[in-house]
Amino acid sequence: MSVTPEAVTALSPQAKRELLAELLLRKDKVRTPVVSPGESELPQIVPDPQHRHEPFPLTDIQQAYWVGRNSGFELGGVGIHGYFELDCIDIHLERLNEAWNRTIERHDMMRAVILPDGRQVIQQDVPKYKFEVNDLRGKSKHVVVAELDALRQRMSHNVFDPERWPLFEIRASILDDHLTRLHFSEDALHADMLSTTIILDDWLRFYENPELALPALDLSYRDYVLTLEQVKKTDAYREALAYWQKRIESLPGGPELPRARAAGSQIQSRFKRRSVIIDATTWTRLKIRSATAGITPSSLLMAIYAEVLGVWSSATRFCLNVTIYNRLSLHPHVEQIVGDFTSMIFLVVDRTTMSPFVERARQLQKQLWTDLAFRHVSGVEVLRELARYRGEGLTAMMPVVFTGTLGTPGYRSLGRLGKMVYDVTQTPQVTLDQQVFEEDGALVLSWDAAEEVFPAGILDEMFAASSSLLMRLVTDDNSWESPQPIRVGLPAATEQAESFPNITLSALFSEQAAKRPQQPAVIAHGRTLSYSDLENQANHIAASLKRHGVGPGTLVGVVMKKGWEQVAGVLGILKTGAAYVPIDCQLPEARRRELITDSELRVVLTQIDLEQQLSWPRPVTEVTVETVEWGDHVPEVIESGPETSPDQLAYVMYTSGSTGKPKGVMIGHDSVVNRMIDVVDRFGITSEDKALALTTLHHDLSVFDIFGMLSIAGGTIVLPDADRQLDPAHWLDLIEREQITVWNSVPAFMQMLVESHDFDGNRHATELRLVMLSGDFIPVALPERIHALNDRLQVISLGGPTETTVWDICYPISEIDPDWASIPYGRPMTNSRYYVLKDNLESCPAWVTGELCIAGVGLARGYWRDPEKTEKQFITHSETGERLYRSGDLGRFLPDGNIEILGRSDFQVKIRGHRIELGEIESVLEQHPQVESAFATVQEVNG
């Protein structure tokens, strides 16, 4: 591309900015510099050849590369480095070597080194450089392959000492009489890609024409760097600085891509290249289609890259680190010299609103053109301001890079010398760098990535998606208009739907009572109730409640101590058609009264001593279990009452959730029936099983104890004494005496059990066969200790919010991977479906963190008397039309189909770009006092 002075002069200011943006990305050689706003006032270089070899400062980008290679920095330990291999036919190595030395002599920065004090210097004289040659002719194929691979492994990731010349290495491997492989390794501290193009072009010209004499260069990179200090005194610089300082607060970080290791981990980055070639015909068609949409080729490739990153980023708004080659027009010959003129633009990608791809691409281009007008402040300066604002130190804040090199051949200019067979680049504090350039009219698109940073396989999937989208944009107009043009088989974990009986929980219990009237149902301190006894008790409680006006559609509170009375009371309430509301009798008076008032209770089922001890808001009627009229007959009021529908409420359970404000979760009979049948069938629970019912009634794990064990399995529950609920020694006595087979609790209770000093596995746990743990994270070391109890014991992790009916996901725990940070959450249970969604409700691919959203039979009806909260948490999926519950849990799909849970979204706030767990705030404020004022402005942390 060539731009004449006349053409530039005729352009409008906006057109000049647009042309400038494209040229800065493409690095086309132009016959006259393009002038951007404020450019005409820039100082002009006065060459100073007399001091050419005196030390001078590193530029911002050079200093960043120099410091960033330090292994103490995140993603350090590598240089800014390029490596390629070229297979050459009948090459003359001595002549090529001499041409290289002439190139060194011509370009100052090929003789530059960095001094210990952090300045750089151009050495006047350096020794003649001699290629090292390895003659592999006559050696076996196995030996040749091994030696070439060993050389590639060493040279491709070489980290040069910047204080010692040379900062390059060239070797030749003679493969046969005609074929030689050239190995080229360079540290790019002193030469950006355009400078490398100049170097290689001159090298080839000297090789092809040994008699060639080029005019001496009157301008030095030292002259340019020293003049940059004068640029900082101009209005253009001041305007740019004000622009970026204003934007610092709103700049997001880089894309939050999946990582194999946590950010900040020290790893040895080893880069791997992935490449695809788009043939010239296809590439031309795409450029024409792009021009029709008003998008430049560079902007289109950037938009495709941003789209891929957006799909795999858990953040919907992030910065793309865009490399520009920022040779300011400080001298007429500035385009001829070698040096590092690189800068960066931190381009904001915003996918919060899922507009059509073409609109997002245009917006990205518009933002880039705006940002480039303020390029006089280097990207490193912006990064430093951002680091100060966030209080960050040695972290890589913008590690995902777009390097647009359309119009610049770079290493590919050596195609006149031989065939490129391998190339790769590395950059300190970079995880992923997309590079694009043209070769013989074709597009070559490459990704260089720090392979160890990412989970295995994910880069292959991302790169394939990028290539696929690029090809579809050539022929498929729908891809341009689609809000989600990338489809990668986005996962949605689901268990196959199964039917279940259309019956109530109380009716199911009555069926069990009819089948096994004399079998123990509840074993408690001093009392054992058979199924017949419990049915009779429940019927009389129901009759008493009905006489107090309780019936379908009403709620009845249960305020009791742990005991058989709770079980009978809950069944009795359900027999009236009402729903029960369990309330902890040990709650502070204000909270207890708040729950009673909020749930609009008119009747509360309790015990005599509690009725007398506690205060009750009016007009609440307390019905005490002890005063219920008992008998052996079924009360008439029960026999003649209306049947309860399975779609009616079974219970309203209050949970503080993450906000501390009580929320009454409304669960129907059908939801509980579905889940309890699933659990009983899945784990083979029968009427022969006995479960230790440790969980308090106001926690939803108790739902399994009552309805899973009694209504569905027909088994027996054993209750601990009310005053010894948290005593492991008491649990052990019950496990041994009653021969407990099923354990259901939060992990902490099982931890208490296995750590109890009274524990003797051979004596106490011989019959225990099933341990179900849920309600909290399971310590990774705990399952092994549980499995030690006996060799047939099965340990199951279950999970799910109260809003999805006790559990909706499970993971059978067998062997523990030593690399696990936590036990997998697992796979959905029957008639449950899981989605992992971003803030914009876009589905997340495997490994990508998002909010766990759940669909299926288990979903609650909503929150009692809180339509606003219900509407916020229970949403409709934009694509499937399903009703979803937004759990607030963060998680991700693993490649094997399991889900990993990672924490809570509402336990986090963002302060100056940091996502911080609430529990970490105190330590963060200690380390970074400057964020305290920002935190003080957060009025409501948790929704």
Side-chain angles (χ1 to χ4, degrees), residues 902-919:
L902 300 170
R904 291 285 300 175
S905 61
D906 49 11
F907 284 174
Q908 298 177 337
V909 292
K910 266 200 171 182
I911 302 175
R912 296 190 173 181
H914 286 280
R915 191 178 293 276
I916 300 173
E917 294 282 344
L918 295 185

Side-chain angles (χ1 to χ4, degrees), residues 543-550 603 621-623:
S544 178
L545 292 173
K546 283 197 170 190
R547 285 190 284 271
H548 287 88
V550 173
V603 176
T621 300
E622 305 92 57
V623 176

Side-chain angles (χ1 to χ4, degrees), residues 427-554:
T427 307
Q429 297 197 301
V430 166
T431 58
L432 178 61
D433 182 4
Q434 173 169 295
Q435 301 172 29
V436 292
F437 52 87
E438 292 172 308
E439 182 177 30
D440 298 329
L443 173 71
V444 181
L445 187 151
S446 300
W447 283 15
D448 287 336
E451 202 73 8
E452 296 89 341
V453 170
F454 300 95
I458 196 166
L459 289 172
D460 293 327
E461 190 176 1
M462 292 172 65
F463 189 72
S466 172
S467 305
S468 176
L469 175 56
L470 194 151
M471 294 301 295
R472 286 202 315 277
L473 290 171
V474 178
T475 57
D476 182 11
D477 285 345
N478 291 331
S479 295
W480 291 82
E481 298 299 329
S482 173
Q484 294 179 275
I486 293 180
R487 297 288 179 177
V488 289
L490 296 171
T494 180
E495 181 85 1
Q496 185 174 354
E498 293 185 13
S499 60
F500 56 93
N502 187 36
I503 190 171
T504 65
L505 295 163
S506 50
L508 283 169
F509 178 79
S510 295
E511 290 182 359
Q512 293 288 359
K515 285 195 294 186
R516 57 190 90 255
Q518 301 310 312
Q519 178 180 314
V522 178
I523 299 175
H525 179 68
R527 183 161 189 179
T528 297
L529 296 179
S530 68
Y531 271 84
S532 177
D533 294 336
L534 188 56
E535 171 79 349
N536 185 46
Q537 299 276 26
N539 283 334
H540 283 85
I541 290 173
S544 178
L545 292 173
K546 283 197 170 190
R547 285 190 284 271
H548 287 88
V550 173
T554 59

Side-chain angles (χ1 to χ4, degrees), residues 376-451:
H376 299 93
V377 169
S378 74
V380 175
E381 289 180 88
V382 176
L383 206 58
R384 287 170 182 161
E385 288 291 323
L386 189 59
R388 276 193 288 270
Y389 175 76
R390 294 185 178 180
E392 292 190 352
L394 307 182
T395 59
M397 288 190 289
M398 301 292 178
V400 179
V401 178
F402 176 84
T403 303
T405 58
L406 296 183
T408 300
Y411 299 140
R412 299 282 163 167
S413 62
L414 292 176
R416 286 144 52 191
L417 198 62
K419 180 183 179 182
M420 190 77 68
V421 294
Y422 182 85
D423 60 333
V424 69
T425 65
Q426 302 100 44
T427 307
Q429 297 197 301
V430 166
T431 58
L432 178 61
D433 182 4
Q434 173 169 295
Q435 301 172 29
V436 292
F437 52 87
E438 292 172 308
E439 182 177 30
D440 298 329
L443 173 71
V444 181
L445 187 151
S446 300
W447 283 15
D448 287 336
E451 202 73 8

Side-chain angles (χ1 to χ4, degrees), residues 58-65 228 232 237 342 377-381 384:
L58 297 171
T59 63
D60 287 338
I61 194 68
Q62 286 181 299
Q63 188 175 52
Y65 290 154
L228 285 179
K232 294 183 178 181
Y237 179 87
T342 310
V377 169
S378 74
V380 175
E381 289 180 88
R384 287 170 182 161

Side-chain angles (χ1 to χ4, degrees), residues 149-455:
D149 182 66
L151 191 59
R152 175 181 294 177
Q153 292 300 316
R154 182 185 67 78
M155 292 183 65
S156 65
H157 285 73
N158 194 10
V159 181
F160 290 92
D161 180 353
E163 296 181 16
R164 298 179 61 185
W165 185 88
L167 296 181
F168 53 81
E169 180 182 6
I170 302 175
R171 294 176 61 118
S173 298
I174 301 176
L175 304 180
D176 60 36
D177 291 342
H178 297 282
L179 179 61
T180 297
R181 178 162 296 177
L182 204 64
H183 310 265
F184 184 98
S185 167
E186 74 157 341
D187 193 306
L189 264 172
H190 304 303
D192 59 22
M193 185 56 73
L194 181 54
S195 296
T196 298
T197 300
I198 294 171
I199 290 169
L200 298 180
D201 188 52
D202 285 350
W203 186 24
L204 284 173
R205 289 197 290 169
F206 286 135
Y207 173 71
E208 292 164 347
N209 183 6
E211 304 302 322
L212 178 67
L214 295 175
L217 298 171
D218 62 341
L219 183 65
S220 165
Y221 184 64
R222 180 181 185 274
D223 299 329
Y224 181 90
V225 171
L226 293 177
T227 307
L228 285 179
E229 290 302 310
Q230 301 301 315
V231 173
K232 294 183 178 181
K233 300 175 182 178
T234 64
D235 289 340
Y237 179 87
R238 284 188 285 269
E239 290 173 9
L241 184 61
Y243 173 80
W244 288 110
Q245 286 176 332
K246 183 178 180 180
R247 296 197 60 202
I248 287 296
E249 291 186 22
S250 64
L251 279 182
E256 296 177 10
L257 300 176
R259 297 182 68 123
R261 305 186 190 183
S265 301
Q266 295 299 315
I267 63 170
Q268 181 62 45
S269 300
R270 190 151 190 97
F271 282 70
K272 176 182 176 182
R273 170 159 289 193
R274 292 165 174 81
S275 292
V276 65
I277 298 176
I278 308 300
D279 66 83
T281 301
T282 302
W283 175 227
T284 299
R285 290 174 61 191
L286 183 58
K287 286 192 287 187
I288 293 171
R289 178 65 182 84
S290 180
T292 303
I295 302 169
T296 68
S298 291
S299 294
L300 176 64
L301 295 174
M302 193 182 306
I304 294 171
Y305 187 42
E307 195 67 24
V308 175
L309 295 172
V311 170
W312 271 270
S313 169
S314 56
T316 56
R317 189 172 178 271
F318 55 86
C319 273
L320 182 58
N321 187 340
V322 180
T323 301
I324 62 172
Y325 295 86
N326 195 26
R327 291 180 182 239
L328 298 178
S329 303
L330 308 182
H331 190 277
H333 297 161
V334 76
E335 298 291 331
Q336 299 175 6
I337 62 173
V338 166
D340 192 350
F341 301 88
T342 310
S343 188
M344 300 168 288
I345 291 289
F346 301 121
L347 183 63
V348 175
V349 178
D350 192 342
R351 301 176 79 254
T352 306
T353 302
M354 297 302 289
S355 55
F357 167 75
V358 65
E359 291 184 15
R360 291 202 295 271
R362 288 175 183 143
Q363 178 57 41
L364 200 65
Q365 176 175 266
K366 180 181 178 182
Q367 183 63 58
L368 177 66
W369 288 346
T370 299
D371 291 344
L372 283 170
F374 302 99
R375 75 190 192 284
H376 299 93
V377 169
S378 74
V380 175
E381 289 180 88
V382 176
L383 206 58
R384 287 170 182 161
E385 288 291 323
L386 189 59
R388 276 193 288 270
Y389 175 76
R390 294 185 178 180
E392 292 190 352
L394 307 182
T395 59
M397 288 190 289
M398 301 292 178
V400 179
V401 178
F402 176 84
T403 303
T405 58
L406 296 183
T408 300
Y411 299 140
R412 299 282 163 167
S413 62
L414 292 176
R416 286 144 52 191
L417 198 62
K419 180 183 179 182
M420 190 77 68
V421 294
Y422 182 85
D423 60 333
V424 69
T425 65
Q426 302 100 44
T427 307
Q429 297 197 301
V430 166
T431 58
L432 178 61
D433 182 4
Q434 173 169 295
Q435 301 172 29
V436 292
F437 52 87
E438 292 172 308
E439 182 177 30
D440 298 329
L443 173 71
V444 181
L445 187 151
S446 300
W447 283 15
D448 287 336
E451 202 73 8
E452 296 89 341
V453 170
F454 300 95

Side-chain angles (χ1 to χ4, degrees), residues 537-767:
Q537 299 276 26
N539 283 334
H540 283 85
I541 290 173
S544 178
L545 292 173
K546 283 197 170 190
R547 285 190 284 271
H548 287 88
V550 173
T554 59
L555 301 184
V556 176
V558 180
V559 184
M560 295 187 190
K561 292 176 288 188
K562 185 81 172 175
W564 66 267
E565 298 93 337
Q566 287 182 328
V567 181
V570 164
L571 290 170
I573 292 168
L574 295 185
K575 283 177 175 288
T576 69
Y580 72 96
V581 183
I583 298 175
D584 185 1
C585 62
Q586 296 182 337
L587 281 175
E589 179 181 342
R591 174 58 68 94
R592 186 179 64 255
R593 294 174 70 93
E594 178 186 5
L595 295 183
I596 291 173
T597 301
D598 185 80
S599 53
E600 301 176 355
L601 299 180
R602 293 294 176 265
V603 176
V604 171
L605 195 59
T606 187
Q607 294 152 315
I608 287 180
D609 57 342
L610 291 178
E611 181 199 24
Q612 296 171 352
Q613 293 171 16
L614 305 179
S615 64
W616 307 90
R618 295 303 167 200
V620 169
T621 300
E622 305 92 57
V623 176
T624 57
V625 176
E626 293 90 339
T627 59
V628 169
E629 296 180 6
W630 307 112
D632 294 331
H633 64 284
V634 178
E636 182 180 340
V637 69
I638 294 298
E639 291 184 324
S640 62
E643 290 189 6
T644 305
S645 171
D647 62 2
Q648 287 183 286
L649 293 184
Y651 59 82
V652 174
M653 195 163 291
Y654 277 86
T655 171
S656 63
S658 56
T659 67
K661 182 181 179 181
K663 299 176 296 183
V665 180
M666 301 186 291
I667 300 293
H669 283 259
D670 50 359
S671 297
V672 182
V673 170
N674 167 70
R675 183 58 59 235
M676 293 304 110
I677 289 177
D678 176 22
V679 171
V680 167
D681 290 348
R682 185 182 296 264
F683 303 124
I685 301 170
T686 72
S687 60
E688 301 297 317
D689 280 303
K690 289 183 177 179
L692 184 59
L694 296 178
T695 307
T696 55
L697 189 66
H698 60 275
H699 191 294
D700 66 352
L701 295 190
S702 65
V703 172
F704 167 78
D705 296 337
I706 299 175
F707 303 113
M709 287 301 299
L710 301 182
S711 294
I712 307 299
T716 302
I717 58 175
V718 179
L719 303 178
D721 298 352
D723 59 351
R724 299 186 68 189
Q725 276 184 264
L726 300 179
D727 182 358
H730 179 50
W731 305 341
L732 289 168
D733 290 340
L734 293 175
I735 290 171
E736 180 186 28
R737 183 175 71 237
E738 302 297 342
Q739 295 293 284
I740 299 296
T741 59
V742 176
W743 176 285
N744 164 45
S745 80
V746 293
F749 284 6
M750 178 52 71
Q751 187 93 31
M752 291 167 63
L753 180 72
V754 299
E755 291 179 354
S756 170
H757 68 276
D758 293 325
F759 180 72
D760 177 349
N762 292 327
R763 178 184 174 194
H764 295 288
T766 54
E767 297 302 316

